[in-house]
Amino acid sequence: MLRGIKRAGLGLTGALGFNAAVRDSRWRAGRVAILCYHGVSMDDEHLWNPRYFITPAALEQRFRALRERYNVLPLGEAVRRLYERALPPRSAVITFDDGGHDFYQRAFPLLRKYELPATVYLTTYYCRHPKPVFEMFCHYLVWKGRKTYRGGSLVGNESAPDLGSEKGRTAAAAAAVGWARREGLTLEAMDALAEELAQQLGVDYAALESSRILRLMTPEEVAAIASAGIDIQLHTHRHTSPADEGGFAREIADNRRAIREMTGSHEPAAHFCYPSGEYRAELLPWLEREGILSATTCESGLAGPSDHPLLLPRVGDKDNVSQAEWEAWLDGVSEVVRPWLRRMWRETPPTEPPAAR
Ligand SMILES: [Zn+2]
């Protein structure tokens, strides 16, 4: 329902010329839209997880619009000009989290085609482990096998799960992942477990393996994109923010060293993205002591000069966002109307179950 109101509202504001007025306002000119991408589908990942993946076709539509109507800056330059209050109008930055092989295969050629700068926040540990990222892969396998699973034992599950619903699939995959964690499996043992899970589900593991789906880039691929001008920045080595400063500093140091080894860059990476978007107050002084110049979250919004540089919001983009909604975010319209929509939402109690929204 909220989505419906939003869509209708965006159509109306567009027709009234409100969108263009916001896009070309001084308010918008003082802000930058830091776009946040995760995965780009190699195959059907957007059907499995439209909140995380976008199709190459939708991504190309975004890039074309960025090229034609916005000023896309490299991340470091955008952060500097944000606080110098010297941004160009309609400014944007493109960031990709994690550094999946799909970035290399799908996004990188499009960035070159449209001559757009971009930053990859790279988590480095798995780059040297040429296998699918275990937890995500388990969830994908369970979705993939939802129609071929014939019942019977399934890794980590005490009884045959119901894979007909998203809830059932999430629980089944979480049980497999939880079992592997409790057993303290090595990476190799986790790969073997994923293969067993695929067999039990009736999914062709060898085909997925050779497609290189849900893996990170190899060091060679990272070197290739870096030499072509893609900016590689920090996302911790093991995609985690330890609770103690020593452990956290080690994650940054390992991440920095691995990036330097892969890219050959002598300039230490100084921009950070919180793994899984999870940030805590105590991380800010730790990041400052590590010489981090900016850090991005997964909170929605345009970054403005009053935002803390270590808590910069972004505009998340994925397959279930229409081009009109995306442009409304980029233009600043969503940010302007959001408080009004929220008020309206609070005053209009939901009339349908939450699952339907
Ligand atoms: Zn991440």
Side-chain angles (χ1 to χ4, degrees):
M1 180 177 169
L2 182 58
R3 265 207 121 108
I5 294 174
K6 245 156 87 178
R7 288 214 174 111
L10 290 176
L12 186 64
T13 56
L16 295 173
F18 179 71
N19 297 18
V22 174
R23 184 179 63 229
D24 298 324
S25 66
R26 279 184 54 180
W27 174 85
R28 172 64 179 90
R31 283 162 174 75
V32 56
I34 305 175
L35 286 158
C36 163
Y37 291 95
H38 281 95
V40 187
S41 287
M42 302 264 287
D43 181 17
D44 55 3
E45 301 97 301
H46 59 286
L47 300 176
W48 160 57
N49 190 346
R51 295 178 297 275
Y52 196 90
F53 284 88
I54 188 166
T55 61
L59 189 66
E60 179 154 16
Q61 201 182 2
R62 311 295 209 233
F63 283 2
R64 201 177 302 121
L66 284 166
R67 183 78 205 157
E68 287 168 2
R69 297 199 292 281
Y70 301 89
N71 285 302
V72 183
L73 304 175
L75 174 67
E77 180 186 338
V79 170
R80 179 174 54 76
R81 292 175 69 174
L82 167 65
Y83 293 105
E84 289 174 359
R85 297 173 192 263
L87 285 168
R90 287 167 276 115
S91 64
V93 168
I94 301 171
T95 68
F96 281 82
D97 288 11
D98 304 322
H101 175 71
D102 54 81
F103 174 86
Y104 182 78
Q105 277 288 344
R106 300 286 189 250
F108 178 50
L110 289 174
L111 288 164
R112 296 190 84 166
K113 179 176 175 184
Y114 292 94
E115 299 177 325
L116 293 166
T119 291
V120 170
Y121 291 116
L122 184 68
T123 190
T124 34
Y125 180 69
Y126 280 96
C127 290
R128 296 192 188 280
H129 181 76
K131 290 284 179 179
V133 176
F134 178 70
E135 181 167 346
M136 191 182 263
F137 192 46
C138 286
H139 283 269
Y140 178 69
L141 284 175
V142 168
W143 174 80
K144 196 87 177 156
R146 67 198 183 284
K147 289 179 185 155
T148 47
Y149 175 55
R150 297 276 167 260
S153 60
L154 198 68
V155 171
N157 287 266
E158 285 174 8
S159 55
D162 166 26
L163 303 187
S165 70
E166 190 175 344
K167 196 175 163 198
R169 290 192 291 272
T170 302
V177 172
W179 185 83
R181 300 257 185 268
R182 279 193 304 280
E183 294 292 310
L185 299 187
T186 61
L187 287 180
E188 289 70 25
M190 285 196 219
D191 296 336
L193 194 75
E195 190 169 355
E196 188 186 340
L197 183 65
Q199 276 165 5
Q200 291 171 337
L201 289 160
V203 173
D204 187 345
Y205 180 83
L208 292 177
E209 166 94 284
S210 63
S211 75
R212 308 190 62 199
I213 206 166
L214 301 177
R215 294 190 198 186
L216 292 192
M217 283 184 277
T218 62
E220 294 72 28
E221 288 163 353
V222 173
I225 62 165
S227 70
I230 300 293
D231 176 40
I232 312 290
Q233 296 292 341
L234 303 160
H235 198 38
T236 74
H237 192 46
R238 294 172 185 78
H239 206 265
T240 183
S241 296
D244 63 300
E245 184 171 4
F248 185 77
R250 218 167 17 253
E251 277 297 325
I252 299 290
D254 290 348
N255 199 195
R256 255 190 188 134
R257 191 184 52 250
I259 289 172
R260 193 179 56 239
E261 284 169 4
M262 289 185 223
T263 63
S265 170
H266 295 294
E267 201 176 317
H271 297 274
F272 178 77
C273 170
Y274 296 93
S276 309
E278 289 166 9
Y279 58 88
R280 315 186 294 271
E282 75 259 25
L283 296 179
L284 271 57
W286 299 357
L287 286 166
E288 275 170 17
R289 282 196 277 277
E290 294 303 319
I292 304 297
L293 302 175
S294 81
T296 49
T297 67
C298 292
E299 299 294 329
S300 294
L302 302 181
S306 60
D307 285 314
H308 192 298
L310 299 180
L311 291 172
L312 295 176
R314 290 188 289 176
V315 175
D317 196 8
K318 49 210 163 187
D319 214 60
N320 58 4
V321 174
S322 71
Q323 186 74 10
E325 281 177 86
W326 179 80
E327 287 183 17
W329 267 111
L330 233 70
D331 292 347
V333 174
S334 290
E335 189 139 333
V336 171
V337 301
R338 196 160 47 157
W340 170 78
L341 274 176
R342 277 207 181 125
R343 253 198 320 278
M344 193 166 148
W345 180 241
R346 270 201 300 272
E347 285 160 16
T348 317
T351 52
E352 52 192 313
R357 293 202 301 274

